[in-house]
Amino acid sequence: SYVLTQPPSVSVAPGQTARITCGGNNIGSKSVHWYQQKPGQAPVLVVYDDSDRPSGIPERFSGSNSGNTATLTISRVEAGDEADYYCQVWDSSSDHPDVVFGGGTKLTVL
Amino acid sequence: QVQLQESGPGLVKPSDTLSLTCAVSGYSISSSNWWGWIRQPPGKGLEWIGYIYYSGSTYYNPSLKSRVTMSVDTSKNQFSLKLSSVTAVDTAVYYCARRGKGGSNFDYWGQGTLVTVSS
């Protein structure tokens, strides 16, 4: 089955840029989606199809995807961005199509 | 505004069947979307359980397929999950969600419901 690998944690000072990676075999050929989850809340979609933003999501959130790595970039990080972030793909490469989530990355705002 | 709301028992005994329902409001479940279930064990990451279409077509997580059944009730605008032969490892917050039309992301989520498997 397809595996997505995320760093367990990323720390950044307010106002700086946070980059959260999601690694997978030839992930550049897939559409990657990113979710933000704050404690006790449901996940919220922040980037879909590699780099598109749902309405209401600040332009500070952006995404890219190439080769074996997708990246969620959060510019001008704010305290309110502190959360867990998950990447997700739809893997249709096998006989058993599967939704795959990365293990999640905890973003800490210092 | 699309809203999803999970409901069902918060406590299930080992070896029993977990049953949850997701009521959808503000949107017709018969529109061209897939509807999904995702779970999250306490302190852990997200795990996809499966999708269902309003016609009844399904995709299940291969690792759970033997124990999962999903159904849809278009007259009540809701869909359901049954997970059989549960054990403590099935203890989790269960979310229902809408798959984005034409895409593979989940654009609307329910608030989640904690199901504990314990005797």
Side-chain angles (χ1 to χ4, degrees):
Chain A
S1 62
Y2 194 76
V3 176
L4 295 175
T5 302
Q6 297 183 238
S9 63
V10 168
S11 298
V12 65
Q16 300 302 303
T17 297
R19 294 179 178 84
I20 299 172
T21 59
C22 177
N25 183 34
N26 197 27
I27 195 174
S29 66
K30 302 181 185 299
S31 290
V32 179
H33 318 298
W34 292 92
Y35 302 88
Q36 175 194 69
Q37 186 181 34
K38 296 182 178 179
Q41 298 183 19
V44 172
L45 181 68
V46 293
V47 168
Y48 67 98
D49 291 348
D50 298 339
S51 58
D52 290 333
R53 276 187 314 278
S55 61
I57 300 301
E59 291 183 8
R60 301 185 299 104
F61 289 82
S62 63
S64 62
N65 183 20
S66 179
N68 293 318
T69 305
T71 303
L72 173 69
T73 301
I74 309 171
S75 304
R76 302 180 300 282
V77 166
E78 303 173 357
D81 298 331
E82 189 162 284
D84 294 326
Y85 291 84
Y86 295 90
C87 58
Q88 178 245 312
V89 300
W90 167 252
D91 178 35
S92 58
S93 60
S94 70
D95 291 339
H96 303 285
D98 199 359
V99 169
V100 181
F101 287 98
T105 298
K106 181 175 181 57
L107 175 66
T108 299
V109 181
L110 301 171
Chain B
Q1 182 182 357
V2 182
Q3 292 186 315
L4 296 87
Q5 178 68 58
E6 306 90 349
S7 62
L11 181 65
V12 180
K13 290 182 168 52
S15 79
D16 282 357
T17 296
L18 177 159
S19 296
L20 295 173
T21 295
C22 181
V24 179
S25 58
Y27 192 82
S28 172
I29 202 169
S30 300
S31 298
S32 301
N33 291 84
W34 289 78
W35 302 89
W37 290 96
I38 301 102
R39 69 180 183 178
Q40 185 173 35
K44 297 189 177 181
L46 301 168
E47 180 181 33
W48 173 66
I49 301 171
Y51 283 136
I52 188 165
Y53 199 58
Y54 76 92
S55 62
S57 296
T58 55
Y59 282 110
Y60 296 148
N61 184 325
S63 68
L64 298 170
K65 186 175 182 178
S66 63
R67 298 194 292 131
V68 172
T69 303
M70 293 183 183
S71 60
V72 62
D73 187 337
T74 55
S75 66
K76 294 182 178 179
N77 217 42
Q78 64 187 33
F79 60 104
S80 299
L81 167 70
K82 291 186 185 298
L83 182 65
S84 64
S85 304
V86 297
T87 67
V89 300
D90 295 310
T91 293
V93 175
Y94 285 76
Y95 296 100
C96 59
R98 188 185 83 169
R99 176 173 155 172
K101 188 173 293 189
S104 59
N105 59 79
F106 295 100
D107 58 359
Y108 285 93
W109 295 64
Q111 66 184 23
T113 186
L114 174 63
V115 179
T116 302
V117 179
S118 175
S119 55

